[in-house]
Amino acid sequence: MTASYSAHRSTLILAKLAALLMLLAAPLYSQEARTGRIVGRVIDAEGGMGLPDVGVQLVGTTKGTQSGVDGRFTLVDVPAGTVTLQVRRLGFQPKTVTGIVLAAGATVEQNVAMSAATVTLQATVVTASAERGTVNEALDAQRTATGIVNAVTSEQIARSPDGDAGQAMQRVSGVTVQDGRYVFVRGLGERYTTTQLNGTRVPSPDPEKRVVPFDMFPSGLLQSVTATKTFTPDLQGDFSGAQVDIRTREFPVHRQVTMGLSVGANASGTASDLLAARGVGGERFALAGSARNLPSVFRRVGNFQGITLTQQDQNMLVSQFRNAWTPDAGRGTPNTSFQASVGGNDPVLGQRIGYLLSGTYSLSQEVKAGAQRALADRGSTPGSTNEIDRFDGEAATSSVLWGGLANFSTLLGGHSRLSFDNTYTRTADNEARRERGEFENEGIAARIDRMRYVERAVMSSQLSGEHQLGARHKFEWAATGSQVTRDEPDRSEFVRVIERDTPDGPEVLRWLNTGNGGAVRTFSTLDETSWQGKADYQLEFNAFGGSHRFKTGGYLRTTERDADTRAYSISAPTASAEIRELPPELIFDGRFAGAHDAVFSIAPLSQGGAYSADDRLSAGYAMVELSLGSRLRLITGARYERDRLEVDATSTLGEPVNTSRNWSDVLPSAALNVAITPSQNLRLSWSGTLARPEYRELSPIKSRDVLNGDDLEGNPNLDRTRIRNSDVRWEWYPADGELLSLGVFAKQFDKPIERVYRAAGSSSRFIGYVNARSADNYGVELEARKRLGFLASSLEQVSAFTNVTVMQSEIDLGEAQAAATNRKRRMVGQAPYVVNAGLTWSSWTGDGSATLLYNRVGERIDAAGDLPLPDVVLRPRDQLDLSLRFPLPGGLSGRADARNVFDSPHKTVQGTVVRDAWRSGRIFQFGLQWQPR
């Protein structure tokens, strides 16, 4: 009775408390249900910079605020309905923005562009929709940048069928996107283009080259992708083609959840009989098992120097390798991908946190149909070539890409912003190749089986801050840590001679059991860690009737890299013909490696070795942006960079070699921007930049390209390249989304680094790196974007665009390269022209679109030749892509793509000889994306 009474009394008390809380909360809830938020950013219409300390007033009320860091502002508890904002700042024309429709409990993003004050401070009144268009135009990096840039923004990407940064970059003038992922600018090779993520250098998953796969960045996460083609002192100085900066979305206004799934097919591979590389498990997740690792005993014996191996020791070493030498038969799998992301701006313990979380996974099947390769030999007449060592075959690769993005951002007091950005990406390529041909010098026919697995990973974390110190002072800083790993475990190559015991007898495959190429296993690892820190201070000041900016800062980067490649050759010079005829998996299954067997011999190959690099880069700069009247702005300054580099290399059989470099450079820059009219700009710039050799290029160790049969060796005597750049560009923006520009550029290279072809051996060609004497590069860029509504009203939603870059270069190799076929020629990797063109249709609502993209890159030198052989040249390809997007019910949208429609062959030639050729197949893909509204 007492317990029942107590329970009843407790229930009554809880009910009364709940009712009281509801009564207290009701006004708050009612108020929240009747109000919303307005957030945005106030910028300078001329320069595109955020304006702090701008008064933002809600007309008809006492509610107001001031813009803070980078011009950002937030108005809370704004009554629902149609409201008006008024913005004011000394030195700028006041502006009133009308027609802002705010629903109860909602958030509206409204940016505002302010123009410098004229003599009469007349206020400007615009509607909200018109102001959004003006802001998009003002925010466009190409129009407001201090240097010459080309950019695509999130608004442009959202109205296009582009699914990732690589596809978006295809629209940028002078940019070529190879294999859908690698970006080259102005036809220059990858050493002249750098890539940044959120303003900090991003490492490459293939650290031996300066290339970053842009398809790892989904378009839904992008704020903008900008290619800066001219140097200013606040940029790192080791580029001349472009510095590409990928900016991920920040501080989203509304919570967004997106999920996407796509399935595709390669017409030459999916559901077809293909080769399949033998695995150990985990390859489809880029997490191969330990069975691929270099056996631990090989680390103990090292390079075999100073020890005597008995036959029993050699048998034991041979038996340690994984018994996988020839590819399996398989079926081509569909291309699949999945993506999920969530972003928002929610309160956490009273502090609003902006966040983006995203994960992606893709599995694709790549083929090389009709693959052929050969070497070139001198012909019977001067300048002619003969084909030798011709091999034909096929190759198939299963590729995996997965990764994640976790970005966080918050505003502190309106005048400081902290960001914490994290990226992790992992890829794997599992390749099998089989080919048949002849070794001319040996007079034998052969079949070669190769299997190769490459695993890469990139991790990057960045903590950054922006602090607005009053109206005129701004301080920014960032600290970044990144790591790159590359693992190529257990590459195999097995060569069998094709023989006939009698002239009319059947073909017999026998292991080529002599020399260093009959049975080879290679293990390669690379690990790179980098720490970066930078700080920038900016001061705005008024003098001589104009507004000016001064900026200074510093940068530090430390990089440590360790790379190790070990290659081993197995032979059996005393093996009988019957043993050599066995399949390799039977030869190496242990039956001939017993205690009393004397069949195998093993030795390390010279195509291997290890190197480590310790790189310390420090930099400081100062620059000023001066207003010279109402139409002229001069940006000038200089950057000092000091690079201390140590590379220690040890070949498989050689002595250690140390390469030390201590480079100090002053990199000046000057640019003059002329505002001819409000819609036309003229830009002139001059700068000095540089290109440093890659660590691998300074390492005098040999490596073997298993696909092309190339032997590659670094050069410890390489020096950096100094570059002088000049640019002139005229830009005209006749209407929103329309552009016409014409630019001219010229570059002078001192000691450019060239990849040169030396001579062909019995089954390979030798490639090295040299400093040429000088080089010149110049060209013209034309870009046009135009709506076609002027032709017919039915074409109002159709836009045509094109950008054409025509280039010419000449390199002088100097007397030291007297054996070169052409001591004066085009630079290696330099295309004479790049053509991008397309048509885009967008529905009135923006939910549907259709896009046609065309790309062609001119003939490029892949490797320079030595006498008497000509240069190795990569032929042009015509590439056509189609994409269609369409809305579906329930927050779904569909997508259909056709890539590589022409399926033009990839072809590399040397004179009349086809060095490499294959077709990659047409790709068709269909996908769904779900984004609840």
Side-chain angles (χ1 to χ4, degrees), residues 583-766:
E585 281 75 23
L586 295 182
I587 296 176
F588 295 103
D589 67 357
R591 67 184 66 189
F592 303 114
H596 303 291
D597 291 318
V599 174
F600 298 124
S601 176
I602 184 171
L605 290 176
S606 61
Q607 291 98 348
Y611 73 92
S612 62
D614 188 352
D615 193 4
R616 299 289 186 269
L617 177 69
S618 57
Y621 74 91
M623 59 183 291
V624 63
E625 183 177 345
L626 301 174
S627 176
L628 307 178
S630 61
R631 295 190 176 185
L632 299 179
R633 293 195 74 85
L634 174 67
I635 304 98
T636 186
R639 183 181 185 90
Y640 173 78
E641 290 193 353
R642 183 177 183 181
D643 188 24
R644 296 182 177 181
L645 175 61
E646 293 277 343
V647 179
D648 295 310
T650 305
S651 66
T652 302
L653 304 177
E655 295 295 326
V657 178
N658 175 265
T659 303
S660 298
R661 292 290 186 272
N662 193 346
W663 292 307
S664 296
D665 296 278
V666 176
L667 306 174
S669 169
L672 182 65
N673 294 340
V674 183
I676 303 174
T677 69
S679 62
Q680 295 185 55
N681 294 329
L682 180 66
R683 303 180 185 272
L684 304 94
S685 69
W686 177 91
S687 64
T689 59
L690 54 85
R692 301 182 182 93
E694 297 296 315
Y695 306 137
R696 175 62 184 86
E697 295 171 352
L698 289 167
S699 307
I701 58 176
K702 292 182 180 179
S703 62
R704 182 81 177 272
D705 185 340
V706 72
L707 292 180
N708 300 318
D710 298 339
D711 287 332
L712 182 68
E713 185 174 14
N715 179 1
N717 298 316
L718 287 178
D719 199 358
R720 71 195 181 292
T721 302
R722 293 182 177 179
I723 309 154
R724 293 183 293 274
N725 311 276
S726 301
D727 286 83
V728 178
R729 186 162 83 170
W730 168 76
E731 302 169 348
W732 179 33
Y733 302 86
D736 184 31
E738 296 185 351
L739 165 68
L740 178 63
S741 71
L742 179 65
V744 179
F745 63 88
K747 301 177 183 295
Q748 293 179 307
F749 297 78
D750 179 36
K751 297 182 180 180
I753 300 171
E754 285 288 281
R755 183 174 182 263
V756 296
Y757 164 63
R758 292 297 193 187
S762 59
S763 61
S764 66
R765 61 180 179 178
F766 175 73

Side-chain angles (χ1 to χ4, degrees), residues 3-20:
S4 175
Y5 174 77
S6 299
H8 178 68
R9 185 177 181 183
S10 299
T11 302
L12 290 176
I13 293 174
L14 290 174
K16 291 179 180 179
L17 287 175
L20 179 61

Side-chain angles (χ1 to χ4, degrees), residues 910-932:
Q910 189 172 20
T912 59
V913 176
V914 177
R915 294 299 306 267
D916 278 301
W918 72 88
R919 293 182 184 271
S920 54
R922 298 176 179 87
I923 298 175
F924 303 94
Q925 187 165 292
F926 303 89
L928 291 174
Q929 180 171 293
W930 176 67
Q931 182 175 331

Side-chain angles (χ1 to χ4, degrees), residues 456-479:
R456 304 176 179 91
V458 176
M459 179 178 66
S460 178
S461 294
Q462 180 187 99
L463 180 64
S464 60
E466 299 176 56
H467 308 277
Q468 192 73 46
L469 310 175
R472 300 182 180 275
H473 306 271
K474 186 176 181 180
F475 179 70
E476 299 177 314
W477 58 270

Side-chain angles (χ1 to χ4, degrees), residues 113-141:
M114 300 189 71
S115 300
T118 57
V119 176
T120 59
L121 296 179
Q122 182 177 0
T124 303
V125 179
V126 299
T127 64
S129 58
E131 179 62 15
R132 288 191 185 104
T134 303
V135 171
N136 287 339
E137 187 72 16
L139 286 174
D140 183 80

